[in-house]
Amino acid sequence: MALVARVLIANRGEIAVRVIRACRDLGVEAVAVYSEADEASLHTELADRALPIGKAPARASYLRPDAIVEAAVEAGCDAVHPGYGFLAEDPRLPAACAQAGIAFVGPPEDVMRAVGDKVTARAAAERAGVPVVPGTGRLSEASAAVAAAEEIGFPVLLTASAGGGGRGIRRVEGAADLPGAFAQATAEAEAAFGDGGLFVEKLIERPRHVEVQVLADDHGAVIHLFERDCSVQRRKQKLVEEAPAPGLTDELRTGLCDAAVALAREVGYRGAGTAEFLVDVAAGAFYFIEMNARIQVEHGITELVCGVDLVTEQLRAASGLELSVAQEDVVPRGSAFEFRINAEDPDNRFMPSPGTITGWHAPGGPGVRVDSGVETGRAVVPYYDSLVAKLMVWGATREEAIARGRRALDELTVEGIKTTRDLHRRLLDWDELLAGECSTESLERWLEGA
Ligand code: ADP
Ligand code: ADP
Ligand code: MG
């Protein structure tokens, strides 16, 4: 078996650049695709070759599995890497790749279906002996949701099985609100995800979001690369992540990591994936919420603490090769943070802030890594996700990582658009974050008071 030779990257922005870099390191050719809005983008320029894929709206370009696979065939690619978002969790992409005889960098279609749907993923977790948030299967009637919610106890969450990116999760306070919420959520999920399926789950109060990175190959290896804490969220979207999760007991950490491996084994996982959990640190309890069958935005902090390149491992697994690391080789060192640099205005309800970047200076120096899809002179276009770059820092201790985070954020300059930079800098002076005690509700409370 050999590594794939030419990879089509079905994505844009910083993650397309990240995958191109892994290809370069491995001597693999990288082929980009771009929409009409991305002709002059960094990922298009850095790739060995770039093919147009359609008009600016994602539905007319990056979200078309047929067009992606057609481009891959045209360019003579033997693999497709989906990045995250867009098609990364669309089972039609591995299906179309299989039909064209092209390797898909991710799990096989049936595995993606099993874990991509939150209801079937919860069932797989239960089979694997992994605790899940108390809740129901897929519900077709509001009356069933009311009965289930009364048993679980209000408030509850009404969640779309196909949801993602923080969308499709709704808090319901009492039985009177549920039928209306059910109808609205069904319609919204149908419109957003093409699947109106809903379930009810218990609302866990002030939990921490802790997730475990896994890697698996076709030779029976399933390993974990420890955990990331992603509790600093607004609107259920992550803003700051850190590894390792602060304040976990060894017992809790081992429990989480073993659970993620058990789930990946149960579903026959291949490649890089993440099992997400809510954690009640005081009670020493954790609950599985979902599995992301792809590389995650925040994968870089795991790379910094574990010294493993997750994207090259993905490419190995997709090539049918063995992972280059065994479980005992994964020894985490120090502490890392990621700050998502979004083209958004934190002072105006995080409204997107597209425009041309007239000045960009990325920090460097010890312990600093910047994964960016932009630079001076490039445009942030309004059609896609507002994440433009990720600033990551590593330190031998959590304190050193935080000090480097302050230094790096001070050095980062972005002109021409509004970003989350200044907010991140303020967050690094916030007691709750410094103490490592944030729950998923902390940032919104802090923002309300700030
Ligand atoms: P991560 O933990 O990797 O950030 P997210 O769930 O935030 O995971 O998703 C990563 C990216 O994919 C984000 O850009 C998010 O907006 C997008 N995304 C994930 N799932 C969906 C979905 N079902 N529909 C639309 N966008 C999604
Ligand atoms: P997505 O697919 O959008 O990433 P997740 O299931 O991962 O959805 O949930 C996103 C976030 O929503 C979690 O990180 C957490 O903050 C919140 N959340 C999800 N389920 C629950 C729950 N049962 N109780 C409390 N918060 C929850
Ligand atoms: Mg999630």
Side-chain angles (χ1 to χ4, degrees), residues 122 132-137 139 145 148-159 169-172 199-207 236 278 280 285 287-289 441:
R122 284 163 53 90
V132 301
V133 176
T136 69
L139 300 169
E150 272 171 346
E151 206 181 308
I152 291 167
F154 286 96
V156 295
L157 294 180
L158 191 56
T159 300
I169 301 175
R170 175 185 304 249
R171 180 183 170 125
V172 183
F199 66 104
V200 168
E201 63 182 320
K202 182 177 164 67
L203 177 95
I204 310 289
E205 304 275 0
R206 302 192 179 192
K236 313 221 176 300
L278 297 180
D280 180 340
Y287 311 91
F288 169 78
I289 50 172
E441 297 168 27

Side-chain angles (χ1 to χ4, degrees), residues 84-85 162-165 167 193 238 276 294 296-298 340 385:
Y84 55 71
R167 295 183 309 148
F193 315 115
K238 302 160 186 169
E276 298 191 330
R294 54 174 164 82
Q296 204 116 343
V297 173
E298 58 275 19
R340 296 193 188 202
D385 199 278

Side-chain angles (χ1 to χ4, degrees), residues 50-358:
L51 283 81
I53 190 95
K55 298 212 178 292
R59 271 177 208 289
S61 49
Y62 298 107
L63 279 171
R64 291 174 53 207
D66 53 333
I68 296 287
V69 173
E70 224 172 273
V73 170
E74 187 191 322
C77 295
D78 53 0
V80 170
H81 193 304
Y84 55 71
F86 293 124
L87 291 174
E89 291 180 278
D90 185 338
R92 292 176 305 167
L93 188 59
C97 285
Q99 207 160 33
I102 292 174
F104 174 72
V105 183
E109 178 194 356
D110 58 327
V111 176
M112 189 187 275
R113 282 189 198 281
V115 298
D117 180 285
K118 292 188 194 199
V119 168
T120 54
R122 284 163 53 90
E126 288 189 292
R127 287 198 303 277
V130 173
V132 301
V133 176
T136 69
R138 201 179 259 256
L139 300 169
S140 46
E141 302 279 341
S143 57
V146 173
E150 272 171 346
E151 206 181 308
I152 291 167
F154 286 96
V156 295
L157 294 180
L158 191 56
T159 300
S161 320
R167 295 183 309 148
I169 301 175
R170 175 185 304 249
R171 180 183 170 125
V172 183
E173 299 296 334
D177 303 332
L178 200 41
F182 195 89
Q184 229 180 346
T186 304
E188 277 175 21
E190 184 62 52
F193 315 115
D195 173 357
L198 301 177
F199 66 104
V200 168
E201 63 182 320
K202 182 177 164 67
L203 177 95
I204 310 289
E205 304 275 0
R206 302 192 179 192
R208 279 173 52 185
H209 174 118
V210 180
E211 58 185 33
V212 176
Q213 177 71 54
V214 297
L215 280 176
D217 65 22
D218 283 340
H219 303 270
V222 182
I223 66 171
H224 70 80
L225 292 96
F226 295 91
E227 83 286 355
R228 300 181 284 258
D229 187 310
C230 315
S231 302
V232 180
Q233 307 179 351
R234 51 99 184 61
R235 290 191 215 123
K236 313 221 176 300
Q237 291 174 354
K238 302 160 186 169
L239 197 63
V240 179
E241 298 97 342
E242 70 173 294
L248 291 192
T249 60
D250 287 348
E251 195 186 347
L252 202 42
R253 173 169 291 117
T254 304
L256 285 159
C257 293
D258 289 350
V261 168
L263 173 60
R265 272 200 197 288
E266 169 65 34
V267 298
Y269 202 76
R270 178 184 66 213
T274 299
E276 298 191 330
F277 301 89
L278 297 180
V279 175
D280 180 340
V281 177
F286 63 84
Y287 311 91
F288 169 78
I289 50 172
E290 68 157 347
M291 179 155 185
N292 291 324
R294 54 174 164 82
I295 195 76
Q296 204 116 343
V297 173
E298 58 275 19
H299 73 278
I301 56 172
T302 295
E303 296 182 324
L304 288 174
V305 295
C306 292
V308 174
D309 183 322
L310 292 169
V311 180
T312 69
E313 295 303 324
Q314 281 190 297
L315 291 167
R316 290 181 65 88
S319 305
L321 297 171
E322 290 181 26
L323 300 175
S324 73
V325 281
Q327 187 66 67
E328 57 271 24
D329 302 327
V330 182
V331 182
R333 276 185 60 239
S335 167
F337 283 79
E338 169 178 277
F339 307 97
R340 296 193 188 202
I341 309 299
N342 296 340
E344 291 171 358
D345 183 359
D347 297 329
N348 186 13
R349 293 173 299 129
F350 294 92
M351 285 281 280
S353 174
T356 296
I357 297 184
T358 52

Side-chain angles (χ1 to χ4, degrees), residues 399-413:
E399 290 65 37
E400 186 176 56
I402 288 169
R404 287 174 167 175
R406 291 192 184 114
R407 180 246 296 167
L409 284 162
D410 284 340
E411 271 185 42
L412 172 69
T413 53

